[in-house]
Amino acid sequence: YRTTAVSILAEKVFFGLILLFSVALVFPLVLILAFIFVKGIGYINLALFLNDERGNGILNALVGSLMMVVVATLIAVPLSILTGMYLAESRKSRIADFVRLTVDVLQGVPSIILGIIAYVWIVVPFHAFSAWAGGIALAIMMMPVVIKNTEESLKLVPASLKEAAYAVGSPRYKAMLEIVLPAGASGVMTGVLVGISRVLGETAPLLFTAFGNRDLTFDLGKPMEALPPLIFKYATSPNDAWINTAWAASFILVVFVLAINLTTKLVTRKWKMPS
């Protein structure tokens, strides 16, 4: 009886500690989100989504962020999915081990270092800041996330599916593209959305590559503004109107990131439902 009572008490204490640490982890996030919402929502208006001569609008940054994230996604996603498929299939290869190590190291490299690398590789040779350079820098940051999610998702696909495809004479590449990849599509899509949400809030790489532009432009070969650098520049400005714009832009950026994360949850839950 005493042993049972002690076990029940230990279980309750352990559960209480887990709950306490969970609340302690979530509490700062709730405070940050609440602070941004309170400070930023009051400055949301129609003029904010326009460009004026004083630079109080953020239309150029919204368009710039969207275009550079699209460029990064178009570059990173195909390469990352193919790399993840190779790693999932080549589990004992030395080349695969080297690629995994490279991906792990790349995932841990600070974003400002990747920005400097993109500056040296792209901006310096072409003697110009551009949205292309910003998109490539974001693509480099996105690739490790998508690669790791793709590899782990495809590893969970039952081997019997591939064996069945091989049994009916399907080539290996067809089995991977038509059987294995669709079966692990939920995890792959999750990795893509998580990668997008990560690069959407990056500032340092874009300061070294896209540089910024007060004018609205759709030319990927020219400097282009984005939300994170705009927030950084406006928040450190002595101009009160620009500071207010920075709070509003922060609110919009947080809403975008939250929307992408919620979409990730919904997509994952839907695709994991039994048919």
Side-chain angles (χ1 to χ4, degrees):
Y1 175 77
R2 288 182 178 179
T3 303
T4 304
V6 171
S7 299
I8 295 174
L9 178 61
E11 182 178 349
K12 290 183 178 180
V13 171
F14 184 70
F15 179 78
L17 288 175
I18 293 176
L19 182 61
L20 177 63
F21 290 144
S22 300
V23 172
L25 179 66
V26 173
F27 187 66
L29 176 62
V30 173
L31 285 180
I32 293 172
L33 293 178
F35 188 77
I36 293 175
F37 273 56
V38 171
K39 293 285 290 186
I41 197 169
Y43 302 111
I44 301 295
N45 52 58
L46 181 60
L48 184 71
F49 299 95
L50 303 173
N51 266 28
D52 58 22
E53 296 179 355
R54 295 172 297 176
N56 293 333
I58 63 170
L59 180 61
N60 58 335
L62 284 171
V63 173
S65 287
L66 177 62
M67 292 183 66
M68 283 187 279
V69 169
V70 168
V71 169
T73 303
L74 293 177
I75 294 173
V77 170
L79 294 175
S80 301
I81 291 178
L82 291 175
T83 304
M85 291 170 62
Y86 168 74
L87 295 179
E89 285 294 295
S90 307
R91 303 185 185 183
K92 297 181 180 180
S93 169
R94 291 185 178 180
I95 298 177
D97 291 338
F98 177 75
V99 174
R100 287 191 191 93
L101 177 61
T102 303
V103 172
D104 291 336
V105 172
L106 185 60
Q107 193 168 13
V109 174
S111 60
I112 191 170
I113 303 300
L114 295 178
I116 294 174
I117 292 173
Y119 173 81
V120 173
W121 286 356
I122 305 169
V123 176
V124 173
F126 290 95
H127 305 287
F129 296 97
S130 67
W132 280 114
I136 293 173
L138 296 181
I140 296 174
M141 293 194 62
M142 187 188 300
M143 287 179 64
V145 179
V146 183
I147 290 173
K148 296 296 289 185
N149 276 271
T150 301
E151 179 187 3
E152 297 302 324
S153 299
L154 298 186
K155 282 182 178 179
L156 298 176
V157 176
S160 57
L161 291 178
K162 291 184 290 184
E163 293 170 358
Y166 297 151
V168 297
S170 178
R172 188 174 184 182
Y173 77 94
K174 277 194 173 183
M176 289 297 298
L177 292 176
E178 298 178 5
I179 304 297
V180 178
L181 186 59
S186 173
V188 175
M189 182 60 67
T190 299
V192 172
L193 293 175
V194 170
I196 291 174
S197 66
R198 181 193 175 189
V199 302
L200 189 60
E202 287 296 333
T203 304
L206 300 183
L207 291 176
F208 287 95
T209 53
F211 191 70
N213 191 340
R214 291 186 62 180
D215 297 324
L216 174 63
T217 178
F218 297 93
D219 188 350
L220 294 174
K222 292 183 178 180
M224 187 173 289
E225 191 61 270
L227 279 176
L230 180 140
I231 293 170
F232 171 74
K233 288 181 284 189
Y234 280 19
T236 55
S237 168
N239 189 322
D240 291 338
W242 282 13
I243 293 175
N244 296 338
T245 301
W247 281 115
S250 301
F251 172 81
I252 293 172
L253 183 60
V254 169
V255 169
F256 281 167
V257 173
L258 287 176
I260 292 175
N261 280 276
L262 290 175
T263 303
T264 303
K265 298 295 183 183
L266 293 175
V267 168
T268 304
R269 183 178 300 176
K270 181 179 179 179
W271 286 10
K272 284 186 177 181
M273 290 177 62
S275 55

